[in-house]
Amino acid sequence: VNVKLKFIGIAKETDEAKQLEINSISFDQESASFSGLAEGMVFSTDGQTWKEYKPNNLPVLESGSSIYIKYPETATHYETDYIKFTKD
């Protein structure tokens, strides 16, 4: 008896609204402050290790350092593209 199995994966979608939120984040170089951040976002200083964003848990950016921000993957949606800011 020959049996063929077909894997049917869970369909995920991109979340365009969340990507728009990411794209609208801004960074003020003088005060080193952000606007447009929201809970549920994650951040990284190396682009590899991600931490959940919560008010007041972002690192202080020194000159030349960068931060990446995105929404993570969920059971129903792919992760968003990240946005990168570098302190002058």
Side-chain angles (χ1 to χ4, degrees):
V1 174
N2 289 329
V3 176
K4 289 186 178 181
L5 299 176
K6 180 178 179 182
F7 176 74
I8 299 175
I10 298 172
K12 290 191 178 192
E13 299 178 0
T14 57
D15 191 329
E16 293 180 26
K18 285 191 175 185
Q19 187 62 58
L20 287 173
E21 287 181 44
I22 293 296
N23 295 343
S24 67
I25 296 170
S26 60
F27 177 65
D28 180 68
Q29 288 286 342
E30 285 189 33
S31 65
S33 62
F34 294 88
S35 63
L37 296 175
E39 289 195 38
M41 293 179 178
V42 293
F43 69 92
S44 174
T45 54
D46 61 8
Q48 303 282 323
T49 305
W50 297 89
K51 295 180 183 179
E52 182 179 353
Y53 164 74
K54 295 185 185 209
N56 302 317
N57 79 334
L58 292 176
V60 175
L61 294 181
E62 302 294 331
S63 180
S65 61
S66 297
I67 190 167
Y68 306 79
I69 303 168
K70 68 178 181 177
Y71 274 105
E73 185 171 355
T74 67
T76 57
H77 291 90
Y78 293 110
E79 68 185 6
T80 62
D81 292 334
Y82 64 78
I83 191 167
K84 178 182 175 183
F85 298 98
T86 301
K87 177 81 169 96
D88 292 340

